Amino acid sequence: MARYSRLRQIQRLDPESDYQEIYRISTEYEFPWDVTRALELALFRTYAVPSIGGLLDRTREFADHGQKRYDDTVVLLYEMTRDGGMDSPRGRAAIRHMNRIHGRYPISNDDFLYVLSTFVVVPVRWISRYGWRPYSRHEVRATVNTFRHMGRLMGLKNIPETYEEFAALLDGYEREHYAFNEPSRRVAEATIAIFQGWFPAFARPFARRGVIAMTDAPLREALGLHRSPHALETAADRALRARALLVRLMPARPESLPKRPRPRTYRNGYTLEEIGPAWIRERAARTG
């Protein structure tokens, strides 16, 4: 398959009606690695809002079951956006499961909208800087419409309508709400520990510095993180740009090999009932 054939396929689709298919093609074939890294960074950003970081700290899911908590997020998002999307039976079941989990906690509409905005804006900004090609206008609009649809299924109000509105919401919310908060720092450290755990012991200090190198000053200050050496920040930026050039020269991902999550917690597969904290699994077992 030619390198730009899927872009041409995307451009033949309508981002107002085919947005979930465009998003699937983009995330499973065109930018699977980039979108994964960008969504990790998106979630990391949310910790710096004290109401979000504080709630995550109180649940202790990151502190006590960090890898599972990470995997659960990846799996749920995949189940909502895989073939058939959120309107498929499996996608609808994933949305309902997520809503049951969220329904236990006092999360404001504004915090939900901010988290939703990170899922839209951070990947677009990441790919504009490190993608092997820029996101097309169709892909940006499809990303907006995919998460607008998710927000509607979550029952959210006042969901932004355009990418520009999502970006303004994200930037404004961070300016207004970012503040140092010890619980947020603990969640950030627990998340960094998850990433470090993917590497051999000798490489873990470098992994930590690499994660922090991807953060900006307001985020670091809000999370109480020390800046990585400037040389490492520059090296990380150049390495990601070099990767983009290399990927551009590679053949397109084969149709038979869409990107699928490989959660460490569920090496033998999973069911939706296994996803989430212990209380949701216990409730599912009781209701049978």
Side-chain angles (χ1 to χ4, degrees), residues 82-101:
R82 63 183 294 181
D83 191 25
M86 287 171 272
D87 299 318
S88 69
R90 195 170 180 96
R92 290 281 181 167
I95 286 280
R96 288 193 298 270
H97 192 71
M98 180 183 69
N99 286 342
R100 281 193 292 269
I101 294 171

Side-chain angles (χ1 to χ4, degrees), residues 27 76 113 126 223 241:
T27 56
L76 267 181
L113 288 179
W126 175 284
L223 296 177
R241 291 177 183 274

Side-chain angles (χ1 to χ4, degrees), residues 85-161:
M86 287 171 272
D87 299 318
S88 69
R90 195 170 180 96
R92 290 281 181 167
I95 286 280
R96 288 193 298 270
H97 192 71
M98 180 183 69
N99 286 342
R100 281 193 292 269
I101 294 171
H102 287 161
R104 184 182 179 97
Y105 306 108
I107 306 171
S108 71
N109 189 78
D110 286 349
D111 277 355
F112 270 131
L113 288 179
Y114 167 64
V115 174
L116 202 69
S117 76
T118 67
F119 288 176
V120 173
V121 177
V122 175
V124 172
R125 288 178 175 173
W126 175 284
I127 289 169
S128 72
R129 188 175 182 89
Y130 298 125
W132 66 269
R133 63 166 175 82
Y135 251 172
S136 68
R137 292 179 63 184
H138 273 39
E139 287 166 305
V140 173
R141 185 60 189 165
T143 300
V144 168
N145 282 335
T146 293
F147 286 100
R148 275 178 53 78
H149 189 39
M150 184 183 294
R152 289 191 294 269
L153 294 174
M154 293 170 66
L156 303 186
K157 300 177 177 64
N158 303 317
I159 304 170
E161 296 185 2

Side-chain angles (χ1 to χ4, degrees), residues 109-276:
N109 189 78
D110 286 349
D111 277 355
F112 270 131
L113 288 179
Y114 167 64
V115 174
L116 202 69
S117 76
T118 67
F119 288 176
V120 173
V121 177
V122 175
V124 172
R125 288 178 175 173
W126 175 284
I127 289 169
S128 72
R129 188 175 182 89
Y130 298 125
W132 66 269
R133 63 166 175 82
Y135 251 172
S136 68
R137 292 179 63 184
H138 273 39
E139 287 166 305
V140 173
R141 185 60 189 165
T143 300
V144 168
N145 282 335
T146 293
F147 286 100
R148 275 178 53 78
H149 189 39
M150 184 183 294
R152 289 191 294 269
L153 294 174
M154 293 170 66
L156 303 186
K157 300 177 177 64
N158 303 317
I159 304 170
E161 296 185 2
T162 67
Y163 174 77
E164 290 73 20
E165 290 176 1
F166 269 111
L169 186 155
L170 180 143
D171 292 336
Y173 212 73
E174 292 182 350
R175 282 194 301 271
E176 182 177 352
H177 293 279
Y178 268 17
F180 177 74
N181 181 45
E182 181 60 26
S184 297
R185 187 197 66 78
R186 288 196 294 265
V187 176
E189 291 290 355
T191 303
I192 292 171
I194 297 169
F195 299 148
Q196 288 179 294
W198 301 345
F199 296 89
F202 75 87
R204 289 173 188 169
F206 301 100
R208 175 186 174 81
R209 296 189 191 105
V211 170
I212 298 175
M214 294 292 99
T215 63
D216 53 68
L219 178 59
R220 287 194 301 272
E221 291 169 8
L223 296 177
L225 300 173
H226 296 294
R227 183 177 182 176
S228 293
H230 179 70
L232 179 60
E233 292 181 352
T234 301
D237 182 76
R238 290 179 178 174
L240 288 166
R241 291 177 183 274
R243 177 192 173 276
L245 294 174
L246 178 62
V247 173
R248 189 180 306 161
L249 298 174
M250 296 170 63
R253 194 178 188 95
E255 192 70 27
S256 60
L257 291 175
K259 178 67 168 62
R260 299 283 191 257
R262 296 180 179 177
R264 291 167 170 79
T265 307
Y266 308 108
R267 296 188 184 276
N268 298 316
Y270 58 84
T271 64
L272 277 179
E273 290 72 22
E274 295 175 274
I275 306 303

